[in-house]
Amino acid sequence: MARQARDLDEALAALRAGGLVAIPTETVYGLAGDASRPESVARIFALKGRPADHPLIVHVASLEAARAWSSRWPEAAERLGRAFWPGPLTLIVPKAPAVLDAVTGGQSSVGLRVPAHPLTRALLDTFGGGLAAPSANRFGRVSPTTAQHVLDEFRAIDDLLVLDGGACEVGVESTIVDVTGARARILRPGRIRAAQIEAVLEGALDRSLAGAPRASGTLASHYAPSRPTFAFSGEGLAILLQAMADAGKRVGLIHHGETARDPVLAQAVVSRVQLPAAAPEAWEHDLYAALRALDRDGIDVIVIETPPTGPDWEAVQDRLRRATAHTAPARSATGAATKI
Ligand code: TXA
Ligand code: MG
């Protein structure tokens, strides 16, 4: 059975023996193994159930350590690494020849990140090498933001250690920036916003995603709960809640406004999480935990009241799109609301 690591030394010993350890980062928990050992990398893919052509991020202790994993260190990587590492940023750079194909999914680039969580920083400092670590969830599912989420996800797995570093500060995965081309591109939005990146680069990002490298986080339906999940706002939300009540469906609700407090509409709601209407960081911090809490027996459908849009909401809107991609039509029956 998966269990908590007693301390850093036990985690370190497991990694050095080729085993896997779930590690806390400031974004989400990662399922870590030695990035230079084929058997450790293979085990990560096997545990996650992840297709072999989806590359892993290599976590390293410092910007200096990151350079050794690349064959060319672009000026943009230097600037962004200096500005945001340690922190919730992953840089896609040309890979060094020694980087395992299994890590990069056969691509010529590698994703690198220096995480900020103190426990994992200490682990990386002592470990010395790179830790390949995707989010510690099964492929396509919601990322874990507590050690308990990881234990829940991999309960049946023997010899998996979980290093408990508390609840993740950010709560959504790192911003991924591809700096292999002439202009940098964001492949996945996160806590570090586009405007912050443009300020550091002193230039505009390439906003087109055509020809983007494969990134599993860029699949339409990813980070999804197992229950049907819908996101609506305003009148569309009211219509949906009414329809759920009429159909006898039990709703788990994430909301920010008062519509969902209407006693008639709230009939179907058996569990609710309220998040602040004007705080994207709070949504980032709590969204995955809320989705996990509502994705359980006794709930038929998860309904999310769509939060605002805008530059600071890109990470939240991106994860909501993925969480709902497998179910809702583009518009409600009445056309009153557009799915985010
Ligand atoms: O915050 C995070 O980034 C977390 C923590 C654990 O660091 N990790 C994470 O890993 O979210 P993962 O594997 O769940 O998502 C990493 C994304 C994937 O979509 C992967 O395809 C993409 O990064 N990626 C990795 N290397 C890449 C590369 N060379 N080119 C394009 N995308 C890459
Ligand atoms: Mg993931």
Side-chain angles (χ1 to χ4, degrees), residues 137-143 153 173 220-229 288 291-292 295 302 319-327:
N137 53 280
R138 296 190 191 268
F139 184 64
R141 294 295 167 205
V142 174
S143 296
E153 189 95 14
E173 304 82 354
S221 178
H222 205 67
Y223 315 121
S226 59
R227 282 167 180 66
T229 303
Y288 286 156
L291 288 174
R292 275 179 183 269
D295 196 14
I302 298 174
R319 301 318 187 273
L320 290 181
R321 258 191 308 275
R322 297 173 202 288
T324 58
H326 57 306
T327 31

Tab-separated table of all heavy atoms in Angstrom, residues 137-143 153 173 220-229 288 291-292 295 302 319-327:
chain	number	residue	atom	x	y	z
A	137	ASN	N	-1.321	11.951	-10.454
A	137	ASN	CA	-2.683	11.463	-10.652
A	137	ASN	C	-2.673	10.486	-11.811
A	137	ASN	O	-1.755	10.495	-12.620
A	137	ASN	CB	-3.616	12.630	-10.993
A	137	ASN	CG	-3.085	13.447	-12.154
A	137	ASN	OD1	-2.194	14.292	-11.972
A	137	ASN	ND2	-3.577	13.183	-13.357
A	138	ARG	N	-3.708	9.670	-11.899
A	138	ARG	CA	-3.821	8.803	-13.063
A	138	ARG	C	-4.131	9.651	-14.285
A	138	ARG	O	-4.726	10.732	-14.170
A	138	ARG	CB	-4.883	7.737	-12.823
A	138	ARG	CG	-4.452	6.827	-11.685
A	138	ARG	CD	-5.336	5.615	-11.547
A	138	ARG	NE	-5.045	4.928	-10.298
A	138	ARG	CZ	-4.158	3.941	-10.169
A	138	ARG	NH1	-3.480	3.525	-11.224
A	138	ARG	NH2	-3.949	3.375	-9.007
A	139	PHE	N	-3.698	9.164	-15.437
A	139	PHE	CA	-3.778	9.930	-16.675
A	139	PHE	C	-5.194	10.466	-16.903
A	139	PHE	O	-6.172	9.729	-16.827
A	139	PHE	CB	-3.366	9.041	-17.855
A	139	PHE	CG	-3.313	9.767	-19.156
A	139	PHE	CD1	-2.408	10.794	-19.351
A	139	PHE	CD2	-4.178	9.435	-20.196
A	139	PHE	CE1	-2.353	11.474	-20.557
A	139	PHE	CE2	-4.122	10.106	-21.406
A	139	PHE	CZ	-3.212	11.133	-21.584
A	140	GLY	N	-5.263	11.775	-17.174
A	140	GLY	CA	-6.552	12.380	-17.510
A	140	GLY	C	-7.334	12.864	-16.296
A	140	GLY	O	-8.355	13.532	-16.453
A	141	ARG	N	-6.885	12.523	-15.101
A	141	ARG	CA	-7.644	12.895	-13.901
A	141	ARG	C	-7.145	14.192	-13.279
A	141	ARG	O	-6.122	14.737	-13.670
A	141	ARG	CB	-7.579	11.756	-12.878
A	141	ARG	CG	-8.292	10.516	-13.355
A	141	ARG	CD	-9.785	10.790	-13.495
A	141	ARG	NE	-10.467	9.737	-14.231
A	141	ARG	CZ	-11.614	9.904	-14.901
A	141	ARG	NH1	-12.190	11.081	-14.940
A	141	ARG	NH2	-12.169	8.909	-15.524
A	142	VAL	N	-7.868	14.640	-12.266
A	142	VAL	CA	-7.558	15.902	-11.599
A	142	VAL	C	-6.253	15.764	-10.797
A	142	VAL	O	-6.043	14.771	-10.111
A	142	VAL	CB	-8.730	16.264	-10.665
A	142	VAL	CG1	-8.408	17.491	-9.840
A	142	VAL	CG2	-10.003	16.474	-11.480
A	143	SER	N	-5.398	16.764	-10.880
A	143	SER	CA	-4.124	16.730	-10.169
A	143	SER	C	-4.331	16.817	-8.653
A	143	SER	O	-5.262	17.471	-8.190
A	143	SER	CB	-3.241	17.897	-10.619
A	143	SER	OG	-2.908	17.774	-11.970
A	153	GLU	N	-5.428	8.333	-4.638
A	153	GLU	CA	-5.279	8.004	-6.060
A	153	GLU	C	-4.526	6.680	-6.246
A	153	GLU	O	-4.829	5.918	-7.154
A	153	GLU	CB	-4.519	9.151	-6.742
A	153	GLU	CG	-4.467	9.081	-8.242
A	153	GLU	CD	-5.562	9.898	-8.918
A	153	GLU	OE1	-6.207	10.727	-8.251
A	153	GLU	OE2	-5.770	9.693	-10.115
A	173	GLU	N	-1.252	23.433	-12.048
A	173	GLU	CA	0.064	23.109	-12.583
A	173	GLU	C	0.784	24.351	-13.097
A	173	GLU	O	0.179	25.368	-13.430
A	173	GLU	CB	-0.063	22.092	-13.721
A	173	GLU	CG	-0.785	20.798	-13.350
A	173	GLU	CD	-2.283	20.920	-13.401
A	173	GLU	OE1	-2.801	22.038	-13.612
A	173	GLU	OE2	-2.955	19.886	-13.232
A	220	ALA	N	-7.894	18.189	-25.137
A	220	ALA	CA	-9.116	18.894	-24.757
A	220	ALA	C	-9.661	18.388	-23.426
A	220	ALA	O	-9.966	19.143	-22.527
A	220	ALA	CB	-10.147	18.748	-25.854
A	221	SER	N	-9.787	17.042	-23.312
A	221	SER	CA	-10.379	16.521	-22.086
A	221	SER	C	-9.285	15.982	-21.190
A	221	SER	O	-8.791	14.893	-21.350
A	221	SER	CB	-11.384	15.412	-22.396
A	221	SER	OG	-11.897	14.904	-21.191
A	222	HIS	N	-8.922	16.785	-20.200
A	222	HIS	CA	-7.838	16.414	-19.322
A	222	HIS	C	-8.173	17.043	-17.987
A	222	HIS	O	-8.941	17.982	-17.928
A	222	HIS	CB	-6.527	16.978	-19.878
A	222	HIS	CG	-5.333	16.196	-19.425
A	222	HIS	ND1	-5.104	14.912	-19.816
A	222	HIS	CD2	-4.309	16.523	-18.611
A	222	HIS	CE1	-3.976	14.485	-19.259
A	222	HIS	NE2	-3.471	15.447	-18.522
A	223	TYR	N	-7.615	16.538	-16.923
A	223	TYR	CA	-7.920	17.072	-15.600
A	223	TYR	C	-9.418	16.989	-15.319
A	223	TYR	O	-10.013	17.935	-14.827
A	223	TYR	CB	-7.499	18.546	-15.475
A	223	TYR	CG	-6.133	18.895	-16.014
A	223	TYR	CD1	-5.984	19.836	-17.015
A	223	TYR	CD2	-4.992	18.301	-15.498
A	223	TYR	CE1	-4.723	20.176	-17.501
A	223	TYR	CE2	-3.739	18.635	-15.983
A	223	TYR	CZ	-3.613	19.565	-16.979
A	223	TYR	OH	-2.383	19.906	-17.452
A	224	ALA	N	-10.030	15.855	-15.674
A	224	ALA	CA	-11.482	15.772	-15.560
A	224	ALA	C	-11.923	14.878	-14.414
A	224	ALA	O	-11.361	13.811	-14.196
A	224	ALA	CB	-12.065	15.252	-16.873
A	225	PRO	N	-12.970	15.291	-13.677
A	225	PRO	CA	-13.579	14.395	-12.700
A	225	PRO	C	-14.250	13.232	-13.424
A	225	PRO	O	-14.479	13.299	-14.636
A	225	PRO	CB	-14.642	15.266	-12.018
A	225	PRO	CG	-14.364	16.665	-12.428
A	225	PRO	CD	-13.650	16.587	-13.741
A	226	SER	N	-14.599	12.160	-12.700
A	226	SER	CA	-15.242	11.040	-13.388
A	226	SER	C	-16.731	11.284	-13.593
A	226	SER	O	-17.345	10.680	-14.461
A	226	SER	CB	-14.997	9.736	-12.621
A	226	SER	OG	-15.505	9.846	-11.320
A	227	ARG	N	-17.329	12.190	-12.816
A	227	ARG	CA	-18.750	12.493	-13.017
A	227	ARG	C	-18.935	13.555	-14.101
A	227	ARG	O	-18.053	14.387	-14.294
A	227	ARG	CB	-19.373	12.995	-11.716
A	227	ARG	CG	-19.649	11.857	-10.786
A	227	ARG	CD	-19.973	12.207	-9.392
A	227	ARG	NE	-20.207	10.959	-8.681
A	227	ARG	CZ	-19.273	10.040	-8.461
A	227	ARG	NH1	-18.041	10.219	-8.890
A	227	ARG	NH2	-19.555	8.922	-7.832
A	228	PRO	N	-20.094	13.528	-14.789
A	228	PRO	CA	-20.365	14.595	-15.759
A	228	PRO	C	-20.224	15.955	-15.070
A	228	PRO	O	-20.706	16.133	-13.949
A	228	PRO	CB	-21.821	14.353	-16.162
A	228	PRO	CG	-22.095	12.931	-15.820
A	228	PRO	CD	-21.189	12.573	-14.667
A	229	THR	N	-19.537	16.859	-15.722
A	229	THR	CA	-19.214	18.155	-15.120
A	229	THR	C	-19.582	19.261	-16.098
A	229	THR	O	-19.206	19.205	-17.271
A	229	THR	CB	-17.714	18.199	-14.772
A	229	THR	OG1	-17.420	17.099	-13.904
A	229	THR	CG2	-17.326	19.490	-14.080
A	288	TYR	N	-9.135	22.108	-7.687
A	288	TYR	CA	-8.952	20.652	-7.783
A	288	TYR	C	-9.445	19.954	-6.528
A	288	TYR	O	-10.049	18.880	-6.606
A	288	TYR	CB	-7.478	20.313	-8.025
A	288	TYR	CG	-7.002	20.598	-9.431
A	288	TYR	CD1	-5.659	20.831	-9.687
A	288	TYR	CD2	-7.880	20.618	-10.507
A	288	TYR	CE1	-5.197	21.076	-10.973
A	288	TYR	CE2	-7.434	20.867	-11.795
A	288	TYR	CZ	-6.085	21.096	-12.031
A	288	TYR	OH	-5.635	21.328	-13.298
A	291	LEU	N	-13.179	19.809	-6.833
A	291	LEU	CA	-13.625	18.804	-7.808
A	291	LEU	C	-13.487	17.395	-7.221
A	291	LEU	O	-14.368	16.550	-7.383
A	291	LEU	CB	-12.819	18.913	-9.107
A	291	LEU	CG	-13.129	20.138	-9.972
A	291	LEU	CD1	-12.152	20.222	-11.156
A	291	LEU	CD2	-14.573	20.104	-10.495
A	292	ARG	N	-12.380	17.152	-6.535
A	292	ARG	CA	-12.191	15.835	-5.915
A	292	ARG	C	-13.238	15.574	-4.839
A	292	ARG	O	-13.781	14.478	-4.737
A	292	ARG	CB	-10.818	15.737	-5.269
A	292	ARG	CG	-9.754	15.328	-6.229
A	292	ARG	CD	-8.397	15.250	-5.565
A	292	ARG	NE	-7.413	14.916	-6.571
A	292	ARG	CZ	-7.057	13.682	-6.882
A	292	ARG	NH1	-7.558	12.645	-6.232
A	292	ARG	NH2	-6.178	13.470	-7.842
A	295	ASP	N	-16.541	14.724	-6.456
A	295	ASP	CA	-16.551	13.580	-7.379
A	295	ASP	C	-16.658	12.292	-6.560
A	295	ASP	O	-15.709	11.532	-6.446
A	295	ASP	CB	-15.245	13.608	-8.197
A	295	ASP	CG	-15.330	12.718	-9.427
A	295	ASP	OD1	-16.448	12.301	-9.794
A	295	ASP	OD2	-14.275	12.447	-10.033
A	302	ILE	N	-21.596	17.253	-11.422
A	302	ILE	CA	-20.902	18.413	-10.841
A	302	ILE	C	-21.240	19.636	-11.682
A	302	ILE	O	-21.142	19.603	-12.914
A	302	ILE	CB	-19.380	18.181	-10.790
A	302	ILE	CG1	-19.060	16.980	-9.893
A	302	ILE	CG2	-18.653	19.439	-10.293
A	302	ILE	CD1	-17.591	16.571	-9.878
A	319	ARG	N	-8.449	25.164	-17.040
A	319	ARG	CA	-8.728	23.906	-16.334
A	319	ARG	C	-10.230	23.601	-16.338
A	319	ARG	O	-10.626	22.437	-16.392
A	319	ARG	CB	-8.210	23.951	-14.896
A	319	ARG	CG	-6.707	24.203	-14.723
A	319	ARG	CD	-5.808	23.463	-15.672
A	319	ARG	NE	-4.405	23.645	-15.320
A	319	ARG	CZ	-3.637	24.674	-15.736
A	319	ARG	NH1	-4.121	25.597	-16.564
A	319	ARG	NH2	-2.378	24.761	-15.338
A	320	LEU	N	-11.060	24.629	-16.296
A	320	LEU	CA	-12.514	24.391	-16.344
A	320	LEU	C	-12.922	23.856	-17.713
A	320	LEU	O	-13.756	22.963	-17.817
A	320	LEU	CB	-13.293	25.670	-16.035
A	320	LEU	CG	-13.227	26.156	-14.587
A	320	LEU	CD1	-14.059	27.423	-14.413
A	320	LEU	CD2	-13.731	25.077	-13.624
A	321	ARG	N	-12.330	24.409	-18.765
A	321	ARG	CA	-12.619	23.897	-20.108
A	321	ARG	C	-12.293	22.422	-20.202
A	321	ARG	O	-13.049	21.632	-20.740
A	321	ARG	CB	-11.789	24.650	-21.153
A	321	ARG	CG	-12.564	25.714	-21.910
A	321	ARG	CD	-11.798	26.236	-23.103
A	321	ARG	NE	-10.447	26.680	-22.789
A	321	ARG	CZ	-10.133	27.892	-22.343
A	321	ARG	NH1	-11.083	28.786	-22.139
A	321	ARG	NH2	-8.884	28.212	-22.103
A	322	ARG	N	-11.158	22.034	-19.643
A	322	ARG	CA	-10.758	20.627	-19.718
A	322	ARG	C	-11.655	19.751	-18.849
A	322	ARG	O	-12.004	18.639	-19.236
A	322	ARG	CB	-9.317	20.457	-19.273
A	322	ARG	CG	-8.359	21.180	-20.167
A	322	ARG	CD	-6.963	21.118	-19.572
A	322	ARG	NE	-6.131	22.176	-20.082
A	322	ARG	CZ	-5.656	22.211	-21.318
A	322	ARG	NH1	-5.951	21.242	-22.162
A	322	ARG	NH2	-4.924	23.216	-21.719
A	323	ALA	N	-12.004	20.267	-17.667
A	323	ALA	CA	-12.826	19.471	-16.748
A	323	ALA	C	-14.210	19.210	-17.336
A	323	ALA	O	-14.854	18.220	-16.997
A	323	ALA	CB	-12.950	20.170	-15.395
A	324	THR	N	-14.661	20.106	-18.218
A	324	THR	CA	-16.016	19.975	-18.753
A	324	THR	C	-16.018	19.540	-20.211
A	324	THR	O	-17.082	19.378	-20.801
A	324	THR	CB	-16.770	21.323	-18.657
A	324	THR	OG1	-16.028	22.321	-19.368
A	324	THR	CG2	-16.944	21.768	-17.222
A	325	ALA	N	-14.863	19.311	-20.796
A	325	ALA	CA	-14.769	19.077	-22.249
A	325	ALA	C	-15.508	17.821	-22.689
A	325	ALA	O	-15.974	17.739	-23.818
A	325	ALA	CB	-13.309	18.985	-22.667
A	326	HIS	N	-15.609	16.828	-21.799
A	326	HIS	CA	-16.175	15.546	-22.210
A	326	HIS	C	-17.694	15.514	-22.175
A	326	HIS	O	-18.296	14.561	-22.603
A	326	HIS	CB	-15.632	14.428	-21.322
A	326	HIS	CG	-15.908	14.673	-19.865
A	326	HIS	ND1	-15.544	15.833	-19.230
A	326	HIS	CD2	-16.524	13.911	-18.937
A	326	HIS	CE1	-15.916	15.772	-17.958
A	326	HIS	NE2	-16.504	14.625	-17.764
A	327	THR	N	-18.328	16.564	-21.631
A	327	THR	CA	-19.766	16.434	-21.439
A	327	THR	C	-20.615	17.502	-22.138
A	327	THR	O	-21.280	17.217	-23.121
A	327	THR	CB	-20.138	16.433	-19.934
A	327	THR	OG1	-19.201	17.243	-19.222
A	327	THR	CG2	-20.138	15.042	-19.396
